[in-house]
Amino acid sequence: MSQNLVTLHISPDDLAAIAAAITTLQEKLGGLIELSVDQRRSLTKMGDKSEAFCRQTLIVLAQNKQIIPPELDLAEAERDLHNLDLLRPHLANLRQLVSKADDTEMALGSDILTAALEGYALAKVFGKGAGLDALKEAMAARYSRKRHPTPVATA
């Protein structure tokens, strides 16, 4: 009972096109940043509920510029919101693509491991004298179960 969750046919031309597309994305999205774990934890985060508040506040501030202190850069906040609106649909598509790529990678690995385990089982049963001793030894080492010593009960 063999498993085949995924079958891909990727030509050298496809690989070249994929590499070129990734390079283009890296170039065009060169302004993206990477935050440290500490930075991510310490940031004030805008969620779905606070987004409407942020949008409305920026509109009110734009209509009442006389109340804005000089240290608040409204134009930068408006640019950030505009860029967020521009990027969001593309980021959603990228997340979906990465999710499919992760699932495909997992399925390919599972297909490979399942085939290898089936092959190993066959080698164990039918491989006597067929020159498969090295494979059987390597696989036996990979899947050997080490027994943990049983703790001695104290009275």
PDB file of all heavy atoms in Angstrom, residues 44-66:
ATOM      1  N   THR A  44       3.599  47.923  20.049  1.00  0.00           N
ATOM      2  CA  THR A  44       2.164  48.120  20.141  1.00  0.00           C
ATOM      3  C   THR A  44       1.586  47.593  18.838  1.00  0.00           C
ATOM      4  O   THR A  44       2.015  48.006  17.766  1.00  0.00           O
ATOM      5  CB  THR A  44       1.828  49.620  20.288  1.00  0.00           C
ATOM      6  OG1 THR A  44       2.546  50.132  21.411  1.00  0.00           O
ATOM      7  CG2 THR A  44       0.347  49.841  20.465  1.00  0.00           C
ATOM      8  N   LYS A  45       0.658  46.659  18.954  1.00  0.00           N
ATOM      9  CA  LYS A  45       0.174  45.975  17.749  1.00  0.00           C
ATOM     10  C   LYS A  45      -1.228  46.443  17.380  1.00  0.00           C
ATOM     11  O   LYS A  45      -2.094  46.570  18.237  1.00  0.00           O
ATOM     12  CB  LYS A  45       0.198  44.465  17.962  1.00  0.00           C
ATOM     13  CG  LYS A  45       1.613  43.939  18.153  1.00  0.00           C
ATOM     14  CD  LYS A  45       1.611  42.567  18.758  1.00  0.00           C
ATOM     15  CE  LYS A  45       2.990  42.130  19.143  1.00  0.00           C
ATOM     16  NZ  LYS A  45       3.467  42.742  20.364  1.00  0.00           N
ATOM     17  N   MET A  46      -1.436  46.664  16.071  1.00  0.00           N
ATOM     18  CA  MET A  46      -2.745  47.036  15.554  1.00  0.00           C
ATOM     19  C   MET A  46      -3.448  45.767  15.101  1.00  0.00           C
ATOM     20  O   MET A  46      -3.016  45.110  14.156  1.00  0.00           O
ATOM     21  CB  MET A  46      -2.610  48.004  14.374  1.00  0.00           C
ATOM     22  CG  MET A  46      -3.965  48.420  13.800  1.00  0.00           C
ATOM     23  SD  MET A  46      -3.824  49.582  12.426  1.00  0.00           S
ATOM     24  CE  MET A  46      -3.289  48.502  11.114  1.00  0.00           C
ATOM     25  N   GLY A  47      -4.532  45.423  15.774  1.00  0.00           N
ATOM     26  CA  GLY A  47      -5.320  44.269  15.384  1.00  0.00           C
ATOM     27  C   GLY A  47      -6.544  44.708  14.594  1.00  0.00           C
ATOM     28  O   GLY A  47      -6.713  45.886  14.253  1.00  0.00           O
ATOM     29  N   ASP A  48      -7.398  43.759  14.311  1.00  0.00           N
ATOM     30  CA  ASP A  48      -8.608  44.051  13.542  1.00  0.00           C
ATOM     31  C   ASP A  48      -9.479  45.102  14.228  1.00  0.00           C
ATOM     32  O   ASP A  48     -10.001  46.004  13.574  1.00  0.00           O
ATOM     33  CB  ASP A  48      -9.418  42.777  13.331  1.00  0.00           C
ATOM     34  CG  ASP A  48      -8.715  41.789  12.429  1.00  0.00           C
ATOM     35  OD1 ASP A  48      -7.822  42.208  11.670  1.00  0.00           O
ATOM     36  OD2 ASP A  48      -9.057  40.598  12.495  1.00  0.00           O
ATOM     37  N   LYS A  49      -9.641  44.992  15.531  1.00  0.00           N
ATOM     38  CA  LYS A  49     -10.516  45.922  16.249  1.00  0.00           C
ATOM     39  C   LYS A  49      -9.934  47.327  16.298  1.00  0.00           C
ATOM     40  O   LYS A  49     -10.664  48.310  16.193  1.00  0.00           O
ATOM     41  CB  LYS A  49     -10.778  45.416  17.666  1.00  0.00           C
ATOM     42  CG  LYS A  49     -11.595  44.149  17.704  1.00  0.00           C
ATOM     43  CD  LYS A  49     -11.804  43.674  19.125  1.00  0.00           C
ATOM     44  CE  LYS A  49     -12.552  42.369  19.152  1.00  0.00           C
ATOM     45  NZ  LYS A  49     -12.721  41.857  20.510  1.00  0.00           N
ATOM     46  N   SER A  50      -8.614  47.419  16.454  1.00  0.00           N
ATOM     47  CA  SER A  50      -8.008  48.745  16.567  1.00  0.00           C
ATOM     48  C   SER A  50      -7.762  49.413  15.214  1.00  0.00           C
ATOM     49  O   SER A  50      -7.530  50.616  15.147  1.00  0.00           O
ATOM     50  CB  SER A  50      -6.706  48.669  17.366  1.00  0.00           C
ATOM     51  OG  SER A  50      -5.798  47.797  16.758  1.00  0.00           O
ATOM     52  N   GLU A  51      -7.851  48.645  14.129  1.00  0.00           N
ATOM     53  CA  GLU A  51      -7.601  49.242  12.816  1.00  0.00           C
ATOM     54  C   GLU A  51      -8.631  50.317  12.476  1.00  0.00           C
ATOM     55  O   GLU A  51      -8.280  51.388  11.974  1.00  0.00           O
ATOM     56  CB  GLU A  51      -7.575  48.172  11.727  1.00  0.00           C
ATOM     57  CG  GLU A  51      -7.225  48.753  10.375  1.00  0.00           C
ATOM     58  CD  GLU A  51      -7.042  47.698   9.303  1.00  0.00           C
ATOM     59  OE1 GLU A  51      -6.810  46.520   9.625  1.00  0.00           O
ATOM     60  OE2 GLU A  51      -7.139  48.084   8.116  1.00  0.00           O
ATOM     61  N   ALA A  52      -9.899  50.044  12.751  1.00  0.00           N
ATOM     62  CA  ALA A  52     -10.943  51.051  12.475  1.00  0.00           C
ATOM     63  C   ALA A  52     -10.694  52.313  13.292  1.00  0.00           C
ATOM     64  O   ALA A  52     -10.841  53.440  12.786  1.00  0.00           O
ATOM     65  CB  ALA A  52     -12.319  50.473  12.774  1.00  0.00           C
ATOM     66  N   PHE A  53     -10.299  52.143  14.544  1.00  0.00           N
ATOM     67  CA  PHE A  53      -9.959  53.282  15.392  1.00  0.00           C
ATOM     68  C   PHE A  53      -8.811  54.084  14.785  1.00  0.00           C
ATOM     69  O   PHE A  53      -8.874  55.319  14.722  1.00  0.00           O
ATOM     70  CB  PHE A  53      -9.582  52.783  16.801  1.00  0.00           C
ATOM     71  CG  PHE A  53      -8.828  53.774  17.618  1.00  0.00           C
ATOM     72  CD1 PHE A  53      -9.486  54.827  18.235  1.00  0.00           C
ATOM     73  CD2 PHE A  53      -7.451  53.667  17.768  1.00  0.00           C
ATOM     74  CE1 PHE A  53      -8.775  55.758  18.994  1.00  0.00           C
ATOM     75  CE2 PHE A  53      -6.736  54.579  18.510  1.00  0.00           C
ATOM     76  CZ  PHE A  53      -7.399  55.635  19.131  1.00  0.00           C
ATOM     77  N   CYS A  54      -7.781  53.404  14.321  1.00  0.00           N
ATOM     78  CA  CYS A  54      -6.617  54.084  13.737  1.00  0.00           C
ATOM     79  C   CYS A  54      -7.006  54.866  12.488  1.00  0.00           C
ATOM     80  O   CYS A  54      -6.610  56.021  12.312  1.00  0.00           O
ATOM     81  CB  CYS A  54      -5.527  53.060  13.392  1.00  0.00           C
ATOM     82  SG  CYS A  54      -4.795  52.263  14.829  1.00  0.00           S
ATOM     83  N   ARG A  55      -7.780  54.225  11.626  1.00  0.00           N
ATOM     84  CA  ARG A  55      -8.204  54.899  10.390  1.00  0.00           C
ATOM     85  C   ARG A  55      -9.021  56.152  10.705  1.00  0.00           C
ATOM     86  O   ARG A  55      -8.792  57.214  10.124  1.00  0.00           O
ATOM     87  CB  ARG A  55      -9.015  53.940   9.522  1.00  0.00           C
ATOM     88  CG  ARG A  55      -8.179  52.855   8.877  1.00  0.00           C
ATOM     89  CD  ARG A  55      -9.034  51.899   8.030  1.00  0.00           C
ATOM     90  NE  ARG A  55      -8.225  50.831   7.491  1.00  0.00           N
ATOM     91  CZ  ARG A  55      -7.448  50.936   6.416  1.00  0.00           C
ATOM     92  NH1 ARG A  55      -7.393  52.072   5.739  1.00  0.00           N
ATOM     93  NH2 ARG A  55      -6.731  49.910   5.999  1.00  0.00           N
ATOM     94  N   GLN A  56      -9.959  56.017  11.624  1.00  0.00           N
ATOM     95  CA  GLN A  56     -10.815  57.155  11.971  1.00  0.00           C
ATOM     96  C   GLN A  56      -9.999  58.269  12.624  1.00  0.00           C
ATOM     97  O   GLN A  56     -10.201  59.454  12.327  1.00  0.00           O
ATOM     98  CB  GLN A  56     -11.950  56.712  12.916  1.00  0.00           C
ATOM     99  CG  GLN A  56     -12.989  57.773  13.158  1.00  0.00           C
ATOM    100  CD  GLN A  56     -13.678  58.226  11.876  1.00  0.00           C
ATOM    101  OE1 GLN A  56     -14.019  57.417  11.021  1.00  0.00           O
ATOM    102  NE2 GLN A  56     -13.871  59.519  11.733  1.00  0.00           N
ATOM    103  N   THR A  57      -9.067  57.914  13.483  1.00  0.00           N
ATOM    104  CA  THR A  57      -8.233  58.911  14.157  1.00  0.00           C
ATOM    105  C   THR A  57      -7.385  59.684  13.155  1.00  0.00           C
ATOM    106  O   THR A  57      -7.266  60.911  13.242  1.00  0.00           O
ATOM    107  CB  THR A  57      -7.341  58.238  15.218  1.00  0.00           C
ATOM    108  OG1 THR A  57      -8.178  57.586  16.174  1.00  0.00           O
ATOM    109  CG2 THR A  57      -6.453  59.245  15.921  1.00  0.00           C
ATOM    110  N   LEU A  58      -6.809  58.977  12.158  1.00  0.00           N
ATOM    111  CA  LEU A  58      -6.011  59.674  11.148  1.00  0.00           C
ATOM    112  C   LEU A  58      -6.867  60.636  10.327  1.00  0.00           C
ATOM    113  O   LEU A  58      -6.411  61.728   9.963  1.00  0.00           O
ATOM    114  CB  LEU A  58      -5.293  58.668  10.237  1.00  0.00           C
ATOM    115  CG  LEU A  58      -4.192  57.822  10.896  1.00  0.00           C
ATOM    116  CD1 LEU A  58      -3.545  56.904   9.869  1.00  0.00           C
ATOM    117  CD2 LEU A  58      -3.161  58.682  11.585  1.00  0.00           C
ATOM    118  N   ILE A  59      -8.096  60.252  10.058  1.00  0.00           N
ATOM    119  CA  ILE A  59      -9.003  61.155   9.324  1.00  0.00           C
ATOM    120  C   ILE A  59      -9.289  62.400  10.155  1.00  0.00           C
ATOM    121  O   ILE A  59      -9.218  63.538   9.653  1.00  0.00           O
ATOM    122  CB  ILE A  59     -10.320  60.422   8.960  1.00  0.00           C
ATOM    123  CG1 ILE A  59     -10.044  59.355   7.898  1.00  0.00           C
ATOM    124  CG2 ILE A  59     -11.380  61.406   8.485  1.00  0.00           C
ATOM    125  CD1 ILE A  59     -11.210  58.399   7.659  1.00  0.00           C
ATOM    126  N   VAL A  60      -9.599  62.216  11.426  1.00  0.00           N
ATOM    127  CA  VAL A  60      -9.896  63.352  12.308  1.00  0.00           C
ATOM    128  C   VAL A  60      -8.675  64.251  12.446  1.00  0.00           C
ATOM    129  O   VAL A  60      -8.790  65.486  12.400  1.00  0.00           O
ATOM    130  CB  VAL A  60     -10.397  62.855  13.691  1.00  0.00           C
ATOM    131  CG1 VAL A  60     -10.463  63.989  14.696  1.00  0.00           C
ATOM    132  CG2 VAL A  60     -11.755  62.170  13.556  1.00  0.00           C
ATOM    133  N   LEU A  61      -7.499  63.651  12.594  1.00  0.00           N
ATOM    134  CA  LEU A  61      -6.282  64.462  12.710  1.00  0.00           C
ATOM    135  C   LEU A  61      -6.015  65.243  11.431  1.00  0.00           C
ATOM    136  O   LEU A  61      -5.605  66.412  11.487  1.00  0.00           O
ATOM    137  CB  LEU A  61      -5.090  63.573  13.054  1.00  0.00           C
ATOM    138  CG  LEU A  61      -5.062  62.997  14.462  1.00  0.00           C
ATOM    139  CD1 LEU A  61      -3.900  62.017  14.620  1.00  0.00           C
ATOM    140  CD2 LEU A  61      -4.995  64.095  15.517  1.00  0.00           C
ATOM    141  N   ALA A  62      -6.243  64.635  10.278  1.00  0.00           N
ATOM    142  CA  ALA A  62      -6.032  65.328   9.005  1.00  0.00           C
ATOM    143  C   ALA A  62      -6.981  66.513   8.872  1.00  0.00           C
ATOM    144  O   ALA A  62      -6.637  67.531   8.259  1.00  0.00           O
ATOM    145  CB  ALA A  62      -6.214  64.361   7.841  1.00  0.00           C
ATOM    146  N   GLN A  63      -8.170  66.399   9.442  1.00  0.00           N
ATOM    147  CA  GLN A  63      -9.154  67.484   9.378  1.00  0.00           C
ATOM    148  C   GLN A  63      -8.898  68.560  10.429  1.00  0.00           C
ATOM    149  O   GLN A  63      -9.467  69.643  10.343  1.00  0.00           O
ATOM    150  CB  GLN A  63     -10.569  66.921   9.561  1.00  0.00           C
ATOM    151  CG  GLN A  63     -11.015  66.032   8.433  1.00  0.00           C
ATOM    152  CD  GLN A  63     -12.307  65.292   8.743  1.00  0.00           C
ATOM    153  OE1 GLN A  63     -12.779  65.259   9.873  1.00  0.00           O
ATOM    154  NE2 GLN A  63     -12.883  64.678   7.712  1.00  0.00           N
ATOM    155  N   ASN A  64      -8.060  68.254  11.399  1.00  0.00           N
ATOM    156  CA  ASN A  64      -7.784  69.192  12.505  1.00  0.00           C
ATOM    157  C   ASN A  64      -6.279  69.288  12.760  1.00  0.00           C
ATOM    158  O   ASN A  64      -5.794  69.040  13.860  1.00  0.00           O
ATOM    159  CB  ASN A  64      -8.494  68.724  13.781  1.00  0.00           C
ATOM    160  CG  ASN A  64      -9.991  68.697  13.615  1.00  0.00           C
ATOM    161  OD1 ASN A  64     -10.636  69.735  13.633  1.00  0.00           O
ATOM    162  ND2 ASN A  64     -10.547  67.507  13.411  1.00  0.00           N
ATOM    163  N   LYS A  65      -5.538  69.671  11.749  1.00  0.00           N
ATOM    164  CA  LYS A  65      -4.080  69.687  11.828  1.00  0.00           C
ATOM    165  C   LYS A  65      -3.559  70.650  12.885  1.00  0.00           C
ATOM    166  O   LYS A  65      -2.430  70.498  13.354  1.00  0.00           O
ATOM    167  CB  LYS A  65      -3.483  70.013  10.460  1.00  0.00           C
ATOM    168  CG  LYS A  65      -3.712  68.894   9.461  1.00  0.00           C
ATOM    169  CD  LYS A  65      -3.013  69.125   8.168  1.00  0.00           C
ATOM    170  CE  LYS A  65      -3.339  67.933   7.277  1.00  0.00           C
ATOM    171  NZ  LYS A  65      -2.621  67.883   6.070  1.00  0.00           N
ATOM    172  N   GLN A  66      -4.364  71.619  13.303  1.00  0.00           N
ATOM    173  CA  GLN A  66      -3.924  72.597  14.289  1.00  0.00           C
ATOM    174  C   GLN A  66      -3.695  71.964  15.670  1.00  0.00           C
ATOM    175  O   GLN A  66      -2.966  72.513  16.488  1.00  0.00           O
ATOM    176  CB  GLN A  66      -4.929  73.761  14.402  1.00  0.00           C
ATOM    177  CG  GLN A  66      -6.246  73.433  15.071  1.00  0.00           C
ATOM    178  CD  GLN A  66      -7.273  72.752  14.171  1.00  0.00           C
ATOM    179  OE1 GLN A  66      -6.998  72.420  13.028  1.00  0.00           O
ATOM    180  NE2 GLN A  66      -8.463  72.529  14.706  1.00  0.00           N
TER     181      GLN A  66
END
